[in-house]
Amino acid sequence: MATSRLAHWGSSLTSNLLLEMRPPLAPGRVLVAVYYQDRLASLVQGTLNGGQATVEYVLSRPDSVLPPYTAYSVRGAGRRALTEFIRLCMARGVRTLAAHAVTPPSASLHAGLGFRLLDDL
């Protein structure tokens, strides 16, 4: 099933990114992590390069994105992480922010925060 493969890929990627969070980070790389009750709920990885920034990944726990939702689901964690990344970009004078949405939930999240969608998924 495609959904379980995507969830597994996201979980694996999150684990690798958490390992990368240990200092030192590569120049220009930013990681924003949102925790809820001591559990990682969402993670954004991006890069800053002068007046431009790129959102590389927005990862959320699969149980918070895909139904059926559980008692451990945290709705809004991806939005919170992406919002904080955008605030950081604004504080550092970034004028252009790009992102690639690869799933409908991701496209919806980005569109809701003002990104222009350039093509269909």
Side-chain angles (χ1 to χ4, degrees):
M1 176 180 226
T3 302
S4 65
R5 283 194 309 252
L6 183 61
H8 175 69
W9 176 80
S11 177
S12 175
L13 185 59
T14 301
S15 296
N16 290 336
L17 289 174
L18 285 173
L19 291 174
E20 290 183 28
M21 288 176 72
R22 296 184 182 129
L25 292 175
R29 175 172 282 173
V30 175
L31 294 170
V32 177
V34 173
Y35 286 85
Y36 180 72
Q37 295 182 347
D38 295 326
R39 293 179 61 190
L40 181 66
S42 187
L43 183 68
V44 168
Q45 176 180 308
T47 55
L48 302 176
N49 186 11
Q52 298 181 328
T54 302
V55 176
E56 295 173 1
Y57 303 105
V58 178
L59 303 171
S60 295
R61 294 183 58 84
D63 60 357
S64 294
V65 177
L66 304 171
Y69 304 116
T70 68
Y72 297 104
S73 297
V74 180
R75 305 296 295 152
R79 175 177 292 273
R80 178 59 185 249
L82 188 53
T83 298
E84 292 305 318
F85 181 75
I86 292 168
R87 284 184 185 157
L88 175 70
C89 290
M90 291 171 62
R92 295 196 182 172
V94 169
R95 304 292 296 165
T96 304
L97 178 57
H100 298 280
V102 296
T103 64
S106 179
S108 176
L109 169 66
H110 286 85
L113 289 172
F115 285 81
R116 285 183 305 165
L117 301 179
L118 300 179
D119 58 347
D120 293 331
L121 294 177

